[in-house]
Amino acid sequence: MQNNSTWARWQPSPTTWPPEAFPAVPTLLAAFGAIVVAVGALIVFIGGAMAAGAIDRHNAIGASPDIALTLQIAMYLPLAAYVAVVLPPLSHLSLRELGLRTPTGRDLAIALAGIAVMFVVSSVESAAESITHRHDTEAAVALMQQLRSPVERLIFVLIAVVLAPIVEELVFRVFLFNALSRYAPIWVAALISGLLFGAVHVSAPGQFATIGLPLAFGGIVLAYVYATTRCYWANVLTHAGFNAIGVAAVMLFHQS
């Protein structure tokens, strides 16, 4: 029986992978390489900043907000370049076939719906705080509350609303989710990639319930947006919209 319902248009799009796509060992090595690139970029930047006297050797954690912002850029850019280079040979598909294409009207509609759903599922944060009696602040929010100059705030907004969605969607959905869904059902790939997405935003183990878990649910929504549209830019729009509303809320209501 043909399914003509509106809901059918929002189901995950079937993906036909080349037989040689995402071979296990090279994919694991590429994932490890992404970690090395990200950590290596941080080490190089911190080392250079210490040598220049921009970071106190005895208190690197207490670096100024402008250094913290530059540090994020220094990590994101080489990581994005690395993933963009390794993806086509790993997947045996072009970047366009992996979703780096112009979004359609349907893609944009799903992306906008995804923003609303992300806010609904991420509201688990308030429930987690009630259960754990913890009131943790995400590192990005804590950094934003330290910003004082308009330039610092502008750079933060550009990172949160533009750079972070572009890089994180490339890493967690186009690379990680695709690699996982090559071997596992979509829901398993969405769950694992979502949990890892939440975990990387946690700065202390005790924050996983209050910060990591809500963002993990958001990562699952982003995985579903990607699985439904197979459009990277739709995911960037959902992620950017969610971040933009969150940044605006903090700047308007929670700035110290």
Side-chain angles (χ1 to χ4, degrees):
M1 181 182 295
Q2 184 177 0
N3 189 345
N4 292 319
S5 68
T6 302
W7 175 248
R9 297 168 53 199
W10 297 71
Q11 295 300 306
S13 304
T15 302
T16 302
W17 294 106
E20 63 275 20
F22 291 109
V25 173
T27 300
L28 287 172
L29 291 174
F32 179 73
I35 296 172
V36 171
V37 168
V39 174
L42 292 177
I43 292 173
V44 170
F45 176 83
I46 292 173
M50 285 183 173
I55 295 180
D56 185 352
R57 293 177 181 271
H58 305 290
N59 187 27
I61 296 178
S64 61
D66 59 325
I67 293 295
L69 292 172
T70 310
L71 184 62
Q72 291 186 43
I73 298 172
M75 179 186 68
Y76 273 138
L77 294 181
L79 178 60
Y82 169 83
V83 173
V85 168
V86 302
L87 264 173
L90 272 180
S91 64
H92 291 269
L93 294 172
S94 67
L95 290 175
R96 189 182 190 285
E97 291 171 314
L98 289 168
L100 277 76
R101 59 171 176 78
T102 303
T104 64
R106 172 182 177 274
D107 298 334
L108 295 175
I110 294 174
L112 294 174
I115 298 173
V117 176
M118 279 191 74
F119 271 99
V120 171
V121 300
S122 65
S123 64
V124 71
E125 177 181 1
S126 57
E129 288 183 345
S130 298
I131 294 171
T132 61
H133 303 290
R134 293 177 61 104
H135 297 281
D136 296 313
T137 301
E138 187 182 345
V141 175
L143 173 61
M144 180 166 39
Q145 293 173 335
Q146 297 176 38
L147 304 178
R148 292 295 175 264
S149 75
V151 173
E152 288 178 346
R153 292 179 181 178
L154 176 60
I155 293 173
F156 181 90
V157 170
L158 291 175
I159 292 174
V161 180
V162 180
L163 185 59
I166 286 175
V167 177
E168 292 177 7
E169 291 312 303
L170 190 64
V171 173
F172 286 97
R173 256 58 67 177
V174 185
F175 181 11
L176 182 59
F177 173 75
N178 273 333
L180 291 168
S181 63
R182 174 71 175 86
Y183 296 98
I186 285 178
W187 71 269
V188 174
L191 178 62
I192 295 174
S193 61
L195 288 172
L196 291 173
F197 177 72
V200 300
H201 289 84
V202 170
S203 56
Q207 295 180 351
F208 187 78
T210 56
I211 294 175
L213 192 59
L215 289 176
F217 281 117
I220 293 172
V221 174
L222 287 164
Y224 189 79
V225 169
Y226 181 74
T228 306
T229 64
R230 302 302 299 179
C231 179
Y232 161 77
W233 292 111
N235 268 74
V236 171
L237 175 59
T238 299
H239 195 154
F242 177 78
N243 283 5
I245 296 172
V247 167
V250 172
M251 286 191 167
L252 289 173
F253 304 113
H254 299 288
Q255 280 283 12
S256 55

